[in-house]
Amino acid sequence: MQTISQPGCEPKTKVFCIGLGKTGTSTFGEIMRQCDYKHSEGPVHIGLAAFKVQDLETLFRISEMFDSFDDYPWPFLYRVMHERYPDAKFVLTKRENPDTWWKSLNTHNLRQGPKDNQLMSLNGYLPAQNAAELKEFYLRHIEEVREYFSGSGNFIEICWNDQEARSKLVSFLGLDFSGEVPHQNAAQDKDPQELIDGLLKGSRPGAALLFAESQSAEVQKYAADSVRSYIQACCCKRFPEEWVAETQKLGSARKLWEKVKFPLLFK
């Protein structure tokens, strides 16, 4: 969920987290909040839309309001923001390797379902279908950032699996932070059946089935039964009884969804 901390009145040196999603950006943001920074998480949709059309006026309006930033669109704006704020500091969060990053990204995608914001931030790639392209995308981002900030004293790389990560960050930023590094967005803390229910409440049965494919047989059955019930309820309101009865004879929930998704979307 996107959040923007309320701006205060004392400006600080701006700090941009320019790691891609699923590299610990939320952890960075929580530390900034605990250190009383005016922090902006995103705003993802507005920011990415502005970035795509190079609406720098909108982006600068946002950057003027806050002291620290994470999530999209900021990983794509380090050149622009460095030119705008020469004294700003830039933190590249990363994972141990591309495989670890992709697995985290794919798990998140399966649990949340594909979203427009994600497609915009990943050049239209879907984690489950474009693993190789996304790993290359991740490595290229790191290489380009390193090249741009080569020799700069206002740049640091952070991997939260490094036991010294917290001390490196607070030293780099000159912060007084002695608390534990908060681990945000832990996927294992979320119940699979609750996630399926949430996807169906958001009218995303396809995403529910996609997520269930990576889960246990029990979760897959729960998803299939739930999706069938969802589709039946939707179809009964919109289509003739005979058509609904015929579609229910299809063998799997996936086949059923493939049969009815376009009629449901456009009727």
Side-chain angles (χ1 to χ4, degrees), residues 71-99:
D71 212 334
Y72 299 107
W74 310 111
F76 305 140
L77 294 169
Y78 58 89
R79 295 180 180 90
V80 171
M81 293 301 157
H82 184 236
E83 293 177 3
R84 177 84 169 183
Y85 308 106
D87 296 328
K89 296 194 174 185
F90 294 83
V91 179
L92 176 64
T93 49
K94 60 183 183 178
R95 300 298 291 263
E96 306 92 296
N97 53 62
D99 289 333

Side-chain angles (χ1 to χ4, degrees), residues 36 45 68 73 85 92 103 147 173 176 180 183 189:
D36 295 325
H45 189 78
S68 61
Y85 308 106
L92 176 64
K103 288 177 182 177
E147 181 179 358
L173 298 178
D176 182 14
E180 293 297 321
H183 185 48
D189 295 338

